[in-house]
Amino acid sequence: MTVGQKQRVFSGVQPTGKLHIGNYVGAIKQWAEHQDSYDNIFCVVDLHAVTIPEAVDPKQFRAKTLEVAALYLACGIDPAKSTIFLQSHVAEHSQAAWLLNCLAPLGWLYRMTQFKAKAGSNESVGTGLLDYPVLMAADILLYDTHKVPVGEDQKQHIEFTRDLAQRVNTMFPGAGLVIPEPMIPPAGARVMGLDDPTVKMSKSIAETKKGHAIGLLDAPSDIKKAIMSAQTDSANEARFDHAGPGVRNLLDLYQVLSGQSREEIEAEFHGQGYGKLKKALVERAVAALEPVQARYAGLTESKDYLEAILRQGAERARSIAARTHARLRDAMGFVAP
Ligand code: AMP
Ligand code: TRP
């Protein structure tokens, strides 16, 4: 079920919070770079966004969903090469999630670190939060996906998807689910907060806390402020294997954005004081985001264009998802509609 010999790639981002450079280098940038090598499907996972319903303001949610779709395009996803759609537009995601729900052991879900972190001790969290990985497994498995390009934090969810697919294939051999593999970039897979390098850069923190992240749509002056005030240390180590966590984070970001080798970067910045590294990183970040922001501005003026892309994307996605869903139903013994 691939185009020619190409393997299939599937990935998605939730339309919540403020998209940042971690989302870009950890996920979307590699989607765009590998577009020619794969048959790509990129989804805005709006059904996942409602797993924390307290954070959903219907008006903002609608705008955010379209913003994320526009950002995919602005970051270089080409609709001529990749399918882009909204998860809720393809009903098979919810339908397959139900079937998989009945096959996913509850114990596996309780073990997910993201669930434990998000649920904390709050006993009134929605069932959807626990079920989140099953919906994600449905997303991936419906497209007979080979590779899932994501940041480091999603590794456990992909492992879960693999285990679940294997379990389904054993219980219902006709399902023939493809076992997907994570595709995690060698650098930039876990960008840390600029204000606190002990926590992952996060969309929800970025929304309320200035200086935490570099937002994809931030003005150059804000990018500069955030990087120049990033937490470092009093040592003078700009070497990858010796730097403290704050400096290491800046070095890692510089590496992905410049494409230079570690040796070149160390030769340029080690023993120079961190100001030089920070200034150079400001330049790289602004230069990387400038074309993204320019394309995004153009897209906000052509809402019809974006909606047409999403409609076409959903149509193609549906045609693939419906086949896999039917295969699963048939393997389980449902009467065909
Ligand atoms: P999320 O922000 O959870 O919707 O994540 C969207 C994509 O960005 C996923 O592939 C994540 O793994 C990736 N991602 C999120 N935060 C980071 C980060 N701080 N560093 C690298 N990748 C990230
Ligand atoms: N859980 C992912 C995140 O927060 C988003 C996601 C949902 C996803 N479904 C997916 C990513 C399928 C890759 C493939 O980042």
Side-chain angles (χ1 to χ4, degrees):
M1 223 166 277
T2 50
V3 170
Q5 293 303 306
K6 285 184 183 171
Q7 288 201 325
R8 179 158 294 139
V9 152
F10 182 97
S11 197
V13 172
Q14 298 182 67
T16 53
K18 180 171 157 181
L19 260 71
H20 52 68
I21 198 105
N23 300 124
Y24 181 64
V25 300
I28 309 173
K29 181 169 179 275
Q30 56 160 352
W31 304 355
E33 283 170 359
H34 293 134
Q35 257 177 132
D36 290 324
S37 318
Y38 295 98
D39 173 17
N40 318 282
I41 305 186
F42 300 121
C43 180
V44 179
V45 289
D46 51 0
L47 295 171
H48 279 100
V50 298
T51 53
I52 311 239
E54 298 78 4
V56 178
D57 169 84
K59 212 168 142 197
Q60 278 178 15
F61 177 40
R62 200 169 282 124
K64 188 54 115 183
T65 303
L66 295 172
E67 177 190 305
V68 174
L71 274 170
Y72 283 6
L73 297 173
C75 287
I77 307 298
D78 178 352
K81 297 176 180 171
S82 300
T83 297
I84 303 172
F85 75 106
L86 307 182
Q87 186 187 30
S88 65
H89 286 185
V90 178
E92 281 77 4
H93 289 249
S94 311
Q95 294 168 346
W98 174 257
L99 300 181
L100 295 176
N101 265 334
C102 298
L103 303 167
L106 199 47
W108 293 7
L109 291 169
Y110 281 129
R111 244 175 271 143
M112 293 289 119
T113 52
Q114 187 173 299
F115 171 69
K116 288 193 266 190
K118 287 191 181 171
S121 54
N122 178 3
E123 290 197 355
S124 61
V125 291
T127 309
L129 190 65
L130 179 67
D131 202 31
Y132 182 113
V134 177
L135 179 60
M136 178 160 165
D139 297 343
I140 296 169
L141 298 174
L142 276 172
Y143 297 92
D144 288 331
T145 301
H146 300 97
K147 296 264 173 7
V148 188
V150 281
E152 177 81 37
D153 61 346
Q154 294 303 311
K155 219 168 156 181
Q156 195 186 34
H157 286 156
I158 314 284
E159 279 302 317
F160 170 90
T161 303
R162 291 169 57 87
D163 291 345
L164 183 57
Q166 259 143 4
R167 183 178 165 89
V168 175
N169 284 346
T170 306
M171 290 173 83
F172 303 103
L177 298 177
V178 172
I179 311 297
E181 279 180 32
M183 191 163 134
I184 297 181
R190 189 176 172 80
V191 177
M192 309 306 284
L194 294 175
D195 57 336
D196 179 359
T198 63
V199 301
K200 196 186 62 168
M201 189 177 280
S202 115
K203 288 194 300 198
S204 54
I205 303 177
E207 202 163 51
T208 53
K209 213 164 160 201
K210 276 205 158 167
H212 170 73
I214 301 167
L216 295 188
L217 297 175
D218 279 354
S221 58
D222 288 332
I223 296 175
K224 184 171 179 191
K225 249 184 255 163
I227 295 176
M228 295 312 289
S229 54
Q231 199 191 102
T232 50
D233 50 54
S234 53
N236 204 4
E237 278 290 351
R239 287 185 296 176
F240 283 85
D241 293 332
H242 303 274
V247 177
R248 174 61 196 258
N249 193 36
L250 300 179
L251 287 170
D252 283 341
L253 264 179
Y254 191 85
Q255 188 187 356
V256 220
L257 295 178
S258 70
Q260 289 176 3
S261 71
R262 288 182 169 199
E263 293 71 27
E264 284 170 323
I265 296 169
E266 290 178 353
E268 204 170 331
F269 299 112
H270 182 54
Q272 301 275 324
Y274 301 136
K276 184 176 175 193
L277 170 64
K278 285 180 167 178
K279 278 192 198 123
L281 181 58
V282 171
E283 270 174 39
R284 294 285 182 176
V286 169
L289 295 182
E290 214 166 42
V292 172
Q293 296 183 357
R295 279 195 293 260
Y296 180 81
L299 284 162
T300 53
E301 283 157 26
S302 41
K303 206 164 157 259
D304 292 351
Y305 170 72
L306 181 63
E307 284 175 1
I309 302 265
L310 293 176
R311 242 190 334 270
Q312 286 160 18
E315 226 166 87
R316 170 160 194 257
R318 204 174 293 125
S319 72
I320 302 167
R323 280 200 299 267
T324 318
H325 183 230
R327 200 171 78 220
L328 179 59
R329 288 167 45 110
D330 185 52
M332 290 176 77
F334 283 95
V335 174

